[in-house]
Protein backbone atom coordinates (compact mmCIF):
# COMPACT_ATOMS: atom_id res chain seq x y z
CA UNK A 1 0.00 0.00 0.00
CA UNK A 2 1.23 3.52 -0.79
CA UNK A 3 2.60 5.60 2.06
CA UNK A 4 0.14 7.79 4.02
CA UNK A 5 2.93 9.77 5.70
CA UNK A 6 4.30 12.87 4.02
CA UNK A 7 6.91 15.53 4.72
CA UNK A 8 7.72 18.64 2.68
CA UNK A 9 11.18 18.73 1.08
CA UNK A 10 11.84 15.04 1.83
CA UNK A 11 12.65 14.27 -1.81
CA UNK A 12 14.08 17.71 -2.45
CA UNK A 13 16.72 16.89 0.17
CA UNK A 14 17.34 13.44 -1.31
CA UNK A 15 17.69 14.97 -4.77
CA UNK A 16 20.30 17.36 -3.40
CA UNK A 17 22.24 14.45 -1.86
CA UNK A 18 22.17 12.61 -5.19
CA UNK A 19 23.35 15.72 -6.98
CA UNK A 20 26.26 16.02 -4.54
CA UNK A 21 27.19 12.33 -4.93
CA UNK A 22 29.72 13.37 -7.60
CA UNK A 23 31.89 14.73 -4.80
CA UNK A 24 31.41 11.89 -2.31
CA UNK A 25 33.65 8.96 -1.41
CA UNK A 26 32.53 5.60 -0.09
CA UNK A 27 33.81 6.32 3.43
CA UNK A 28 32.33 9.82 3.78
CA UNK A 29 29.62 10.61 6.34
CA UNK A 30 27.51 12.27 3.65
CA UNK A 31 27.51 9.06 1.62
CA UNK A 32 26.28 7.12 4.65
CA UNK A 33 23.47 9.63 4.96
CA UNK A 34 22.64 9.19 1.26
CA UNK A 35 22.51 5.39 1.59
CA UNK A 36 20.24 5.68 4.61
CA UNK A 37 17.85 8.04 2.83
CA UNK A 38 17.79 5.85 -0.28
CA UNK A 39 16.75 2.82 1.74
CA UNK A 40 14.08 4.77 3.62
CA UNK A 41 12.59 6.16 0.44
CA UNK A 42 12.91 3.06 -1.77
CA UNK A 43 9.21 2.04 -1.49
CA UNK A 44 8.11 5.57 -2.35
CA UNK A 45 10.53 5.87 -5.28
CA UNK A 46 9.42 2.48 -6.59
CA UNK A 47 5.80 3.59 -6.34
CA UNK A 48 6.51 6.67 -8.47
CA UNK A 49 3.43 8.90 -8.17
CA UNK A 50 1.18 6.37 -6.49
CA UNK A 51 -0.58 7.71 -3.42
CA UNK A 52 -3.36 6.13 -1.34
CA UNK A 53 -6.84 6.93 -2.57
CA UNK A 54 -9.91 8.01 -0.64
CA UNK A 55 -10.68 5.88 2.41
CA UNK A 56 -14.12 5.61 4.07
CA UNK A 57 -12.72 4.84 7.52
CA UNK A 58 -10.27 7.74 7.39
CA UNK A 59 -13.01 10.07 6.16
CA UNK A 60 -15.16 9.11 9.13
CA UNK A 61 -12.27 9.91 11.47
CA UNK A 62 -11.73 13.25 9.73
CA UNK A 63 -15.45 14.05 10.00
CA UNK A 64 -15.17 13.47 13.75
CA UNK A 65 -12.21 15.85 13.88
CA UNK A 66 -9.64 13.16 14.69
CA UNK A 67 -7.51 12.54 11.57
CA UNK A 68 -4.20 10.70 11.79
CA UNK A 69 -1.33 12.90 10.61
CA UNK A 70 1.98 11.10 10.04
CA UNK A 71 1.00 8.38 12.49
CA UNK A 72 -0.24 10.70 15.24
CA UNK A 73 -3.91 11.38 15.97
CA UNK A 74 -4.83 15.07 15.93
CA UNK A 75 -7.87 17.00 17.13
CA UNK A 76 -8.94 19.55 14.48
CA UNK A 77 -11.69 22.14 14.08
CA UNK A 78 -14.52 22.41 11.56
CA UNK A 79 -12.57 24.70 9.20
CA UNK A 80 -9.72 22.18 9.02
CA UNK A 81 -12.17 19.31 8.46
CA UNK A 82 -13.85 21.16 5.60
CA UNK A 83 -10.56 22.14 3.92
CA UNK A 84 -9.06 18.64 4.30
CA UNK A 85 -12.13 17.05 2.72
CA UNK A 86 -12.03 19.56 -0.12
CA UNK A 87 -8.34 18.77 -0.73
CA UNK A 88 -8.98 15.01 -0.56
CA UNK A 89 -11.83 15.27 -3.06
CA UNK A 90 -9.91 17.48 -5.49
CA UNK A 91 -6.65 15.47 -5.44
CA UNK A 92 -8.46 12.12 -4.91
CA UNK A 93 -6.22 11.35 -1.94
CA UNK A 94 -6.62 9.44 1.29
CA UNK A 95 -8.18 11.75 3.88
CA UNK A 96 -5.34 11.23 6.36
CA UNK A 97 -2.84 12.18 3.67
CA UNK A 98 -4.91 15.24 2.72
CA UNK A 99 -5.00 16.26 6.40
CA UNK A 100 -1.23 15.81 6.57
CA UNK A 101 -0.70 17.98 3.49
CA UNK A 102 -2.94 20.68 4.91
CA UNK A 103 -1.25 20.58 8.31
CA UNK A 104 2.26 20.77 6.81
CA UNK A 105 1.24 23.62 4.48
CA UNK A 106 0.24 26.01 7.26
CA UNK A 107 3.83 27.31 7.84
CA UNK A 108 4.10 28.01 4.09
CA UNK A 109 1.07 30.30 3.85
CA UNK A 110 3.13 33.49 4.27
CA UNK A 111 5.84 32.34 1.85
CA UNK A 112 3.34 31.47 -0.89
CA UNK A 113 0.87 34.21 0.08
CA UNK A 114 -1.85 31.61 -0.28
CA UNK A 115 -4.25 29.82 2.10
CA UNK A 116 -3.17 26.44 3.47
CA UNK A 117 -5.24 24.42 0.97
CA UNK A 118 -3.67 26.05 -2.06
CA UNK A 119 -0.23 26.04 -0.45
CA UNK A 120 -0.69 22.29 0.10
CA UNK A 121 -1.29 21.78 -3.64
CA UNK A 122 1.91 23.66 -4.52
CA UNK A 123 3.92 21.74 -1.92
CA UNK A 124 2.49 18.41 -3.08
CA UNK A 125 3.46 18.94 -6.71
CA UNK A 126 6.85 20.37 -5.81
CA UNK A 127 7.67 17.19 -3.90
CA UNK A 128 6.35 14.98 -6.71
CA UNK A 129 8.69 16.83 -9.06
CA UNK A 130 11.62 16.27 -6.68
CA UNK A 131 10.77 12.57 -6.40
CA UNK A 132 10.87 12.11 -10.18
CA UNK A 133 14.15 14.00 -10.35
CA UNK A 134 15.59 11.51 -7.84
CA UNK A 135 14.51 8.57 -10.01
CA UNK A 136 15.82 10.34 -13.11
CA UNK A 137 19.25 10.86 -11.55
CA UNK A 138 19.48 7.16 -10.74
CA UNK A 139 18.88 6.13 -14.36
CA UNK A 140 19.70 9.02 -16.69
CA UNK A 141 23.26 9.08 -15.35
CA UNK A 142 23.79 5.39 -15.97
CA UNK A 143 26.60 5.99 -18.43
CA UNK A 144 29.17 8.71 -18.89
CA UNK A 145 28.35 10.94 -15.93
CA UNK A 146 28.70 8.09 -13.44
CA UNK A 147 32.20 7.35 -14.66
CA UNK A 148 33.38 10.32 -12.59
CA UNK A 149 31.90 8.88 -9.40
CA UNK A 150 33.98 7.21 -6.74
CA UNK A 151 34.01 3.49 -7.59
CA UNK A 152 32.37 2.47 -4.32
CA UNK A 153 29.68 5.15 -4.64
CA UNK A 154 28.98 4.12 -8.23
CA UNK A 155 28.65 0.48 -7.22
CA UNK A 156 26.10 1.27 -4.52
CA UNK A 157 24.03 3.54 -6.81
CA UNK A 158 24.14 1.03 -9.69
CA UNK A 159 22.93 -1.75 -7.38
CA UNK A 160 20.16 0.45 -5.99
CA UNK A 161 19.02 1.45 -9.49
CA UNK A 162 18.99 -2.20 -10.55
CA UNK A 163 16.84 -3.13 -7.55
CA UNK A 164 14.49 -0.25 -8.29
CA UNK A 165 14.24 -1.29 -11.94
CA UNK A 166 13.17 -4.83 -11.11
CA UNK A 167 11.00 -3.91 -8.12
CA UNK A 168 7.34 -4.89 -7.92
CA UNK A 169 4.74 -3.47 -5.55
CA UNK A 170 3.19 -6.75 -4.41
CA UNK A 171 -0.03 -5.89 -6.22
CA UNK A 172 -0.31 -9.28 -7.91
CA UNK A 173 0.45 -8.09 -11.45
CA UNK A 174 4.26 -8.26 -10.99
CA UNK A 175 4.74 -5.08 -13.04
CA UNK A 176 8.29 -3.83 -12.84
CA UNK A 177 9.29 -0.17 -12.99
CA UNK A 178 9.08 0.42 -16.79
CA UNK A 179 5.55 -1.00 -16.94
CA UNK A 180 4.54 1.12 -13.94
CA UNK A 181 5.93 4.20 -15.67
CA UNK A 182 3.75 3.57 -18.73
CA UNK A 183 0.68 3.03 -16.55
CA UNK A 184 1.43 6.17 -14.55
CA UNK A 185 1.77 8.23 -17.72
CA UNK A 186 -1.69 7.13 -18.83
CA UNK A 187 -3.14 7.93 -15.41
CA UNK A 188 -1.57 11.39 -15.48
CA UNK A 189 -3.10 12.04 -18.91
CA UNK A 190 -6.53 11.20 -17.50
CA UNK A 191 -5.89 13.60 -14.62
CA UNK A 192 -4.75 16.30 -17.06
CA UNK A 193 -7.96 15.91 -19.05
CA UNK A 194 -10.05 16.07 -15.88
CA UNK A 195 -8.38 19.30 -14.73
CA UNK A 196 -8.73 20.75 -18.24
CA UNK A 197 -12.45 19.97 -18.04
CA UNK A 198 -12.73 21.77 -14.71
CA UNK A 199 -10.91 24.83 -16.06
CA UNK A 200 -13.06 24.96 -19.20
CA UNK A 201 -16.29 24.70 -17.20
CA UNK A 202 -18.13 27.26 -15.09
CA UNK A 203 -15.91 29.40 -12.88
CA UNK A 204 -17.89 28.32 -9.84
CA UNK A 205 -16.76 24.72 -10.39
CA UNK A 206 -13.05 25.60 -10.02
CA UNK A 207 -12.43 24.74 -6.35
CA UNK A 208 -9.25 26.78 -5.87
CA UNK A 209 -7.67 29.87 -7.38
CA UNK A 210 -7.50 29.47 -11.13
CA UNK A 211 -3.74 30.02 -11.33
CA UNK A 212 -3.17 27.28 -8.75
CA UNK A 213 -5.31 24.81 -10.72
CA UNK A 214 -3.57 25.82 -13.95
CA UNK A 215 -0.21 25.22 -12.21
CA UNK A 216 -1.40 21.73 -11.29
CA UNK A 217 -2.40 21.09 -14.91
CA UNK A 218 1.05 22.20 -16.11
CA UNK A 219 2.82 20.04 -13.52
CA UNK A 220 0.86 16.95 -14.62
CA UNK A 221 2.20 17.48 -18.15
CA UNK A 222 5.71 18.05 -16.83
CA UNK A 223 5.50 14.80 -14.88
CA UNK A 224 4.56 12.85 -18.00
CA UNK A 225 7.56 14.32 -19.79
CA UNK A 226 9.83 13.47 -16.86
CA UNK A 227 8.60 9.88 -16.85
CA UNK A 228 9.25 9.62 -20.59
CA UNK A 229 12.83 10.78 -20.03
CA UNK A 230 13.23 8.23 -17.23
CA UNK A 231 12.05 5.53 -19.67
CA UNK A 232 14.65 6.77 -22.15
CA UNK A 233 17.37 6.65 -19.47
CA UNK A 234 16.39 3.10 -18.56
CA UNK A 235 16.32 1.95 -22.19
CA UNK A 236 19.67 3.51 -23.00
CA UNK A 237 21.52 1.22 -20.61
CA UNK A 238 19.09 -1.67 -20.03
CA UNK A 239 16.93 -4.09 -22.00
CA UNK A 240 13.16 -3.93 -21.59
CA UNK A 241 11.46 -7.30 -21.15
CA UNK A 242 9.05 -8.62 -23.78
CA UNK A 243 5.88 -7.25 -22.17
CA UNK A 244 7.42 -3.83 -21.57
CA UNK A 245 8.70 -3.48 -25.13
CA UNK A 246 5.34 -4.45 -26.62
CA UNK A 247 3.57 -2.06 -24.23
CA UNK A 248 5.90 0.77 -25.31
CA UNK A 249 5.00 0.20 -28.98
CA UNK A 250 1.30 0.04 -28.12
CA UNK A 251 1.54 3.30 -26.14
CA UNK A 252 3.20 5.10 -29.04
CA UNK A 253 0.80 3.73 -31.66
CA UNK A 254 -2.12 5.33 -29.87
CA UNK A 255 -0.40 8.60 -29.00
CA UNK A 256 -0.99 12.04 -30.49
CA UNK A 257 1.77 14.13 -32.04
CA UNK A 258 0.14 17.14 -30.36
CA UNK A 259 1.26 15.64 -27.05
CA UNK A 260 4.87 16.69 -26.23
CA UNK A 261 5.36 13.41 -24.37
CA UNK A 262 5.02 11.59 -27.71
CA UNK A 263 8.24 13.17 -28.95
CA UNK A 264 10.18 11.84 -25.98
CA UNK A 265 8.59 8.41 -26.20
CA UNK A 266 9.37 8.21 -29.90
CA UNK A 267 13.05 8.71 -29.11
CA UNK A 268 12.79 6.07 -26.36
CA UNK A 269 11.34 3.48 -28.75
CA UNK A 270 13.86 4.37 -31.45
CA UNK A 271 16.58 3.70 -28.86
CA UNK A 272 14.98 0.42 -27.80
CA UNK A 273 14.97 -0.77 -31.42
CA UNK A 274 18.25 0.86 -32.43
CA UNK A 275 21.33 -1.10 -33.51
CA UNK A 276 23.48 1.81 -34.68
CA UNK A 277 26.71 2.71 -32.92
CA UNK A 278 26.59 5.21 -30.07
CA UNK A 279 29.66 7.39 -30.48
CA UNK A 280 29.95 7.90 -26.74
CA UNK A 281 30.22 4.15 -26.12
CA UNK A 282 32.99 3.33 -28.57
CA UNK A 283 32.62 1.10 -31.61
CA UNK A 284 33.35 -2.20 -29.86
CA UNK A 285 30.96 -1.55 -26.97
CA UNK A 286 28.24 -0.31 -29.33
CA UNK A 287 28.57 -3.45 -31.46
CA UNK A 288 28.33 -5.65 -28.39
CA UNK A 289 25.22 -3.80 -27.15
CA UNK A 290 23.55 -4.19 -30.56
CA UNK A 291 24.29 -7.91 -30.63
CA UNK A 292 22.97 -8.27 -27.08
CA UNK A 293 19.76 -6.58 -28.19
CA UNK A 294 19.34 -9.03 -31.07
CA UNK A 295 20.14 -11.98 -28.79
CA UNK A 296 17.46 -10.80 -26.38
CA UNK A 297 14.91 -10.58 -29.19
CA UNK A 298 15.58 -14.07 -30.55
CA UNK A 299 15.55 -15.70 -27.12
CA UNK A 300 11.75 -15.96 -27.30
CA UNK A 301 10.77 -17.47 -30.64
CA UNK A 302 7.45 -15.58 -30.61
CA UNK A 303 8.70 -12.13 -29.61
CA UNK A 304 9.84 -11.08 -33.09
CA UNK A 305 6.51 -12.17 -34.56
CA UNK A 306 4.58 -10.27 -31.86
CA UNK A 307 6.69 -7.15 -32.29
CA UNK A 308 6.32 -7.24 -36.07
CA UNK A 309 2.56 -7.56 -35.70
CA UNK A 310 2.43 -4.68 -33.20
CA UNK A 311 4.57 -2.41 -35.36
CA UNK A 312 3.55 -3.37 -38.91
CA UNK A 313 0.05 -4.84 -38.79
CA UNK A 314 -1.73 -2.60 -36.26
CA UNK A 315 -2.94 0.98 -36.87
CA UNK A 316 -1.03 4.11 -35.86
CA UNK A 317 -2.48 7.54 -35.17
CA UNK A 318 0.13 9.33 -37.29
CA UNK A 319 1.64 8.11 -40.57
CA UNK A 320 4.91 10.01 -40.09
CA UNK A 321 5.52 8.47 -36.68
CA UNK A 322 4.48 5.10 -38.06
CA UNK A 323 6.96 5.51 -40.94
CA UNK A 324 9.80 6.45 -38.60
CA UNK A 325 9.28 3.39 -36.39
CA UNK A 326 8.82 1.16 -39.47
CA UNK A 327 12.17 2.41 -40.76
CA UNK A 328 13.89 1.71 -37.45
CA UNK A 329 12.29 -1.73 -37.34
CA UNK A 330 13.53 -2.43 -40.88
CA UNK A 331 17.07 -1.45 -39.89
CA UNK A 332 16.93 -3.72 -36.85
CA UNK A 333 15.58 -6.61 -38.95
CA UNK A 334 18.32 -6.13 -41.54
CA UNK A 335 21.00 -6.07 -38.81
CA UNK A 336 19.53 -9.23 -37.28
CA UNK A 337 19.51 -11.05 -40.60
CA UNK A 338 23.13 -10.11 -41.22
CA UNK A 339 24.44 -10.95 -37.75
CA UNK A 340 22.16 -13.60 -36.23
CA UNK A 341 21.73 -16.95 -38.06
CA UNK A 342 18.08 -17.98 -38.33
CA UNK A 343 16.76 -14.47 -37.61
CA UNK A 344 14.79 -14.40 -40.88
CA UNK A 345 13.13 -17.70 -40.05
CA UNK A 346 12.06 -16.43 -36.62
CA UNK A 347 10.65 -13.17 -37.93
CA UNK A 348 9.00 -14.89 -40.90
CA UNK A 349 10.40 -12.93 -43.88
CA UNK A 350 13.61 -12.15 -45.77
CA UNK A 351 15.55 -9.08 -46.90
CA UNK A 352 13.24 -8.29 -49.83
CA UNK A 353 10.37 -7.77 -47.36
CA UNK A 354 12.63 -5.55 -45.20
CA UNK A 355 13.37 -3.41 -48.24
CA UNK A 356 9.66 -2.97 -48.95
CA UNK A 357 9.01 -1.97 -45.33
CA UNK A 358 11.78 0.65 -45.55
CA UNK A 359 10.43 2.00 -48.85
CA UNK A 360 6.91 2.26 -47.45
CA UNK A 361 8.28 3.96 -44.33
CA UNK A 362 9.89 6.69 -46.44
CA UNK A 363 6.71 7.11 -48.47
CA UNK A 364 4.75 7.59 -45.23
CA UNK A 365 6.98 10.54 -44.39
CA UNK A 366 9.53 9.10 -41.97
CA UNK A 367 12.21 11.67 -42.89
CA UNK A 368 9.77 14.53 -42.86
CA UNK A 369 8.59 13.46 -39.41
CA UNK A 370 12.20 13.41 -38.21
CA UNK A 371 12.82 16.93 -39.55
CA UNK A 372 9.55 18.61 -38.63
CA UNK A 373 8.86 16.82 -35.35
CA UNK A 374 11.87 15.21 -33.72
CA UNK A 375 14.11 18.11 -34.77
CA UNK A 376 11.36 20.70 -34.62
CA UNK A 377 12.70 22.14 -31.37
CA UNK A 378 15.88 23.08 -33.28
CA UNK A 379 14.28 24.69 -36.29
CA UNK A 380 11.61 26.82 -34.63
CA UNK A 381 12.54 30.41 -35.54
CA UNK A 382 16.12 29.23 -36.09
CA UNK A 383 17.20 30.52 -39.50
CA UNK A 384 20.83 29.52 -38.88
CA UNK A 385 19.89 25.88 -38.38
CA UNK A 386 17.50 25.87 -41.36
CA UNK A 387 20.44 26.98 -43.51
CA UNK A 388 22.79 24.36 -42.06
CA UNK A 389 24.08 21.36 -44.00
CA UNK A 390 22.40 18.92 -41.62
CA UNK A 391 18.97 20.45 -42.16
CA UNK A 392 19.38 20.68 -45.94
CA UNK A 393 20.42 17.02 -46.18
CA UNK A 394 17.37 15.96 -44.19
CA UNK A 395 15.13 18.18 -46.29
CA UNK A 396 16.42 16.59 -49.51
CA UNK A 397 15.55 13.17 -48.12
CA UNK A 398 12.02 14.26 -47.27
CA UNK A 399 9.39 13.00 -49.68
CA UNK A 400 7.76 15.99 -51.32
CA UNK A 401 3.99 16.03 -50.91
CA UNK A 402 2.83 19.35 -52.37
CA UNK A 403 -0.81 18.74 -51.54
CA UNK A 404 -0.06 18.08 -47.89
CA UNK A 405 0.67 21.35 -46.10
CA UNK A 406 0.53 19.86 -42.61
CA UNK A 407 3.35 20.84 -40.26
CA UNK A 408 4.03 19.13 -36.99
CA UNK A 409 3.98 21.07 -33.72
CA UNK A 410 7.35 22.26 -32.42
CA UNK A 411 8.19 21.84 -28.75
CA UNK A 412 10.85 24.31 -27.68
CA UNK A 413 11.42 22.95 -24.16
CA UNK A 414 13.53 19.96 -25.27
CA UNK A 415 16.92 19.99 -23.47
Amino acid sequence: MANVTWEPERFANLNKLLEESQELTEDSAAFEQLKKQLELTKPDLAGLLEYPGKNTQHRDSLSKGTPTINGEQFKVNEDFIREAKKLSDFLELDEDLAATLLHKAVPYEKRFELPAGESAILLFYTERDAKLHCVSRLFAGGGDSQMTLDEGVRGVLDKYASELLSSTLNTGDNKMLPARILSTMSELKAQQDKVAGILSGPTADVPYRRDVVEHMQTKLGDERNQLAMIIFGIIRYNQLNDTELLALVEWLRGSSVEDPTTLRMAVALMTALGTSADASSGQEMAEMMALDKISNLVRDSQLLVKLNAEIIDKPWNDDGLKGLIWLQWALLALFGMKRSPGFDQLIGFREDRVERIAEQAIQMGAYRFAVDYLLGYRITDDLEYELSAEFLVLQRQTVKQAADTKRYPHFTDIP
Side-chain angles (χ1 to χ4, degrees):
M1 181 180 176
N3 200 349
V4 181
T5 63
W6 188 88
E7 290 288 348
E9 300 183 7
R10 182 188 188 198
F11 289 103
N13 292 332
L14 176 60
N15 187 45
K16 184 178 179 182
L17 285 172
L18 285 167
E19 184 179 8
E20 294 171 348
S21 64
Q22 295 281 343
E23 310 298 328
L24 301 181
T25 59
E26 190 176 12
D27 57 356
S28 66
F31 183 54
E32 287 301 316
Q33 182 185 2
L34 173 59
K35 287 197 296 183
K36 181 179 179 181
Q37 290 303 311
L38 284 171
E39 285 306 313
L40 288 173
T41 57
K42 184 184 286 186
D44 278 341
L45 291 177
L48 297 170
L49 299 177
E50 179 184 1
Y51 296 91
K54 294 162 67 66
N55 182 296
T56 303
Q57 183 178 347
H58 292 173
R59 195 172 189 88
D60 288 343
S61 297
L62 177 60
S63 297
K64 295 173 184 175
T66 57
T68 299
I69 296 176
N70 281 350
E72 180 182 353
Q73 191 176 79
F74 276 62
K75 184 67 177 177
V76 298
N77 60 29
E78 287 298 323
D79 287 343
F80 187 99
I81 294 170
R82 183 175 60 256
E83 285 300 316
K85 285 183 177 179
K86 179 181 175 182
L87 191 63
S88 170
D89 291 341
F90 182 58
L91 298 179
E92 298 184 357
L93 292 177
D94 180 283
E95 287 75 5
D96 280 351
L97 180 54
T100 302
L101 288 171
L102 192 64
H103 174 70
K104 294 294 182 178
V106 170
Y108 290 82
E109 287 180 306
K110 288 185 178 179
R111 183 194 299 184
F112 295 152
E113 298 182 345
L114 290 170
E118 291 168 334
S119 296
I121 293 173
L122 297 187
L123 280 176
F124 184 54
Y125 280 92
T126 297
E127 268 297 272
R128 285 161 63 111
D129 178 73
K131 180 192 281 192
L132 292 184
H133 271 92
C134 291
V135 179
S136 181
R137 286 188 186 280
L138 289 164
F139 291 108
D144 306 331
S145 65
Q146 285 209 1
M147 292 300 102
T148 61
L149 290 174
D150 173 87
E151 185 176 349
V153 173
R154 185 171 68 247
V156 169
L157 294 181
D158 284 349
K159 181 175 181 293
Y160 185 89
S162 178
E163 292 171 353
L164 203 61
L165 183 62
S166 60
S167 64
T168 59
L169 300 181
N170 299 317
T171 56
D173 56 16
N174 291 322
K175 284 185 179 180
M176 292 191 290
L177 187 66
R180 295 200 300 276
I181 289 175
L182 292 174
S183 297
T184 301
M185 289 171 64
S186 297
E187 292 164 6
L188 291 175
K189 183 62 169 66
Q191 292 173 32
Q192 263 188 301
D193 293 343
K194 178 182 176 182
V195 174
I198 292 173
L199 289 170
S200 64
T203 302
D205 291 343
V206 182
Y208 294 99
R209 277 181 44 160
R210 190 173 189 87
D211 57 344
V212 172
V213 180
E214 288 173 344
H215 173 78
M216 174 181 169
Q217 183 184 31
T218 298
K219 295 302 292 182
L220 288 167
D222 291 344
E223 288 169 357
R224 295 179 72 239
N225 291 338
Q226 281 182 277
L227 288 167
M229 295 310 297
I230 291 170
I231 277 280
F232 170 74
I234 290 171
I235 289 171
R236 191 176 179 194
Y237 301 107
N238 303 273
Q239 298 276 3
L240 296 184
N241 67 31
D242 301 2
T243 303
E244 293 161 353
L245 186 54
L246 288 165
L248 178 57
V249 178
E250 181 182 9
W251 190 99
L252 207 55
R253 280 196 306 101
S255 66
S256 166
V257 293
E258 300 294 330
D259 181 354
T261 306
T262 298
L263 188 151
R264 295 160 171 86
M265 293 294 277
V267 175
L269 182 56
M270 291 279 287
T271 303
L273 300 177
T275 55
S276 59
D278 183 343
S280 64
S281 303
Q283 183 65 39
E284 186 175 342
M285 176 61 72
E287 177 81 1
M288 184 172 68
M289 290 173 66
L291 288 173
D292 283 346
K293 189 172 294 184
I294 294 299
S295 297
N296 187 59
L297 289 173
V298 300
R299 190 174 295 122
D300 178 352
S301 60
Q302 291 301 306
L303 177 56
L304 283 174
V305 175
K306 291 177 182 177
L307 265 176
N308 189 70
E310 192 72 37
I311 293 170
I312 303 298
D313 298 336
K314 295 186 179 180
W316 291 71
N317 279 352
D318 184 85
D319 281 346
L321 174 57
K322 175 183 179 180
L324 186 70
I325 302 305
W326 273 39
L327 187 58
Q328 187 78 326
W329 179 241
L331 292 172
L332 180 144
L334 186 60
F335 182 88
M337 290 174 185
K338 297 289 187 184
R339 305 303 298 274
S340 178
F343 187 95
D344 54 350
Q345 295 176 351
L346 287 173
I347 201 170
F349 52 80
R350 299 182 183 278
E351 286 187 31
D352 57 340
R353 171 63 174 143
V354 176
E355 291 174 1
R356 289 198 299 274
I357 291 173
E359 289 170 359
Q360 288 178 275
I362 295 170
Q363 291 168 2
M364 288 177 206
Y367 287 123
R368 181 182 180 190
F369 182 85
V371 172
D372 277 0
Y373 192 67
L374 291 190
L375 298 178
Y377 73 98
R378 296 184 63 180
I379 63 178
T380 301
D381 300 324
D382 187 348
L383 180 60
E384 181 180 352
Y385 180 67
E386 293 205 14
L387 294 175
S388 71
E390 178 185 355
F391 180 75
L392 293 174
V393 167
L394 286 169
Q395 283 290 78
R396 284 198 296 272
Q397 296 180 59
T398 303
V399 176
K400 303 301 181 184
Q401 297 175 337
D404 182 7
T405 59
K406 172 184 176 182
R407 282 187 64 86
Y408 288 102
H410 293 165
F411 302 110
T412 58
D413 61 339
I414 307 300

